[in-house]
Amino acid sequence: VFPGVRQAQWLTKTKLVEGLPPAVQGTVDNPALGLQELEERARHVVSHARLWDTAEAAPRREKYCPVLFENLIHICRSMSGKYPSLRKRMLARNCRIAATWERESILLQVRGLSGILMNSMTPIPPVASKEEILATKEHVLETFYPIAPTIDLQEVNVYKELNDTGQCFRDGYPYSHPHTLFFLESASVRTDRFRPEQLRAKMLMFAFGNALAKAKALHGNDPKVLEQPVVVQSIGTDGQLFQFMVFQLNTTDLVSNDGIKNLVWIDSDQNLYERAQCVPEVKKRVVTKPAGISGFQPDTFKKFLALYLHGTV
């Protein structure tokens, strides 16, 4: 089976751009925003999740991964004094999504629980310019002939073509725009977790699904190039390694490989820290590895924060 993201790109008619879009990277790099002032709090959060929030010698991933996530979100929320519009956000858990589309002659559907979804009162503005969107016409999508691009998808009978944004977006719900999806791969047993490449493919499919369902709710089911693209972000982590993604739905006309494509920016495999030593390692009565967090990466934390702030800063 070919790698997950390449398959997800074909299924969603999407061009991949490596790294974060300038709108987000600019926030990471801007010293005037004071993100570096929060680095010490982030370092403290990692220590809390990995070393202190447990009676065990070495806490399990299913314990420390959610604790780390909640504490990082808490730091992000603390920025609302500086940026009041951050108060117009809501975290929804166990949100279900269903989105249906046709690709070539295949009817496809993404459905299920889409992680933890942060909704906003206002949409994220488009990150690609009209010129960049038009330029995607020239992009040639990879094909996998003679392998079918749907080779490992589950085949089911579809009795109803659902496009449902779940309980999160009922009529009148004020936080009606999907902003960022969070996926916690927190299973302690490695074989029960998605590998990073699988996780990125899942993040892309669900970001696309949420964007497509929202676009159809706004503009109806007729396939079209969107005047106002829909942007949905995604962050995935196993409690140490982070995946960052910004997806822009430019078109709901997905049947053919021609014309405008959708866009996704992916920043892969970013460690927040290199190692958490819960108890010191001693050899011949000499401490070879002291207890604590080593190799903390402040830029990974800043990227998490920049995606949270996106659309506000």
Side-chain angles (χ1 to χ4, degrees):
V1 179
F2 44 84
V5 170
R6 287 163 57 207
Q7 181 182 21
Q9 282 179 251
W10 187 91
L11 294 170
T12 60
K13 195 176 176 178
T14 297
K15 178 186 176 183
L16 168 68
V17 183
E18 295 285 351
L20 294 172
V24 178
Q25 192 61 49
T27 302
V28 175
D29 298 334
N30 187 350
L33 295 174
L35 305 195
Q36 66 275 12
E37 294 160 22
L38 300 169
E39 283 175 25
E40 201 49 49
R41 283 183 64 187
R43 200 185 300 264
H44 182 83
V45 155
V46 173
S47 296
H48 176 258
R50 291 301 312 261
L51 308 177
W52 305 334
D53 191 65
T54 180
E56 301 171 84
R60 292 190 300 273
R61 195 179 299 269
E62 62 203 26
K63 170 84 170 145
Y64 69 71
C65 183
V67 169
L68 178 68
F69 166 73
E70 297 294 345
N71 289 340
L72 287 174
I73 287 289
H74 185 70
I75 294 176
C76 293
R77 282 183 175 142
S78 73
M79 301 284 281
S80 61
K82 197 171 181 180
Y83 304 106
S85 57
L86 289 177
R87 298 190 184 112
K88 298 174 181 177
R89 303 273 181 83
M90 179 67 70
L91 272 187
R93 295 164 200 272
N94 300 322
C95 254
R96 291 199 164 272
I97 181 72
T100 307
W101 71 103
E102 197 175 331
R103 191 80 178 83
E104 293 190 339
S105 58
I106 310 156
L107 189 66
L108 296 165
Q109 189 173 71
V110 59
R111 64 190 298 176
L113 289 172
S114 59
I116 300 164
L117 176 59
M118 182 167 70
N119 309 308
S120 176
M121 284 187 175
T122 53
I124 300 174
V127 286
S129 66
K130 288 209 164 27
E131 291 74 28
E132 288 172 289
I133 294 167
L134 279 173
T136 64
K137 282 185 177 182
E138 308 304 317
H139 179 70
V140 178
L141 291 162
E142 182 179 9
T143 57
F144 305 98
Y145 184 83
I147 301 170
T150 54
I151 183 171
D152 54 354
L153 301 186
Q154 183 184 357
E155 197 167 319
V156 295
N157 292 318
V158 176
Y159 299 105
K160 190 177 180 190
E161 292 186 26
L162 289 174
N163 288 289
D164 182 14
T165 51
Q167 298 297 325
C168 306
F169 303 121
R170 291 286 173 249
D171 287 348
Y173 182 66
Y175 308 94
S176 61
H177 297 279
H179 188 284
T180 305
L181 290 156
F182 299 95
F183 291 97
L184 308 185
E185 280 301 309
S186 55
S188 291
V189 181
R190 185 178 289 276
T191 51
D192 292 342
R193 292 198 302 272
F194 275 49
R195 295 190 306 276
E197 174 66 20
Q198 294 172 309
L199 177 57
R200 289 191 291 270
K202 178 181 177 181
M203 289 163 61
L204 175 49
M205 293 306 300
F206 276 95
F208 165 81
N210 275 275
L212 183 63
K214 182 63 185 174
K216 289 189 173 186
L218 287 170
H219 307 297
N221 288 324
D222 290 342
K224 57 166 76 76
V225 174
L226 301 175
E227 189 63 38
Q228 186 72 11
V230 179
V231 177
V232 179
Q233 303 180 145
S234 199
I235 297 176
T237 184
D238 62 2
Q240 180 176 8
L241 192 67
F242 281 72
Q243 317 292 336
F244 300 108
M245 182 177 294
V246 179
F247 177 82
Q248 180 167 306
L249 186 78
N250 299 317
T251 180
T252 59
D253 186 1
L254 303 162
V255 175
S256 84
N257 288 324
D258 301 329
I260 299 287
K261 316 296 186 298
N262 298 311
L263 284 161
V264 68
W265 291 258
I266 302 180
D267 195 14
S268 306
D269 297 337
Q270 302 294 305
N271 263 327
L272 182 58
Y273 54 95
E274 284 171 16
R275 195 177 69 246
Q277 194 74 25
C278 298
V279 290
E281 188 178 286
V282 181
K283 287 182 181 172
K284 296 179 181 175
R285 289 194 278 189
V286 175
V287 176
T288 52
K289 288 178 185 171
I293 302 298
S294 60
F296 178 73
Q297 304 289 330
D299 269 10
T300 302
F301 162 68
K302 286 183 197 167
K303 287 171 184 176
F304 186 97
L305 193 50
L307 285 173
Y308 188 93
L309 292 171
H310 193 190
T312 298
V313 174

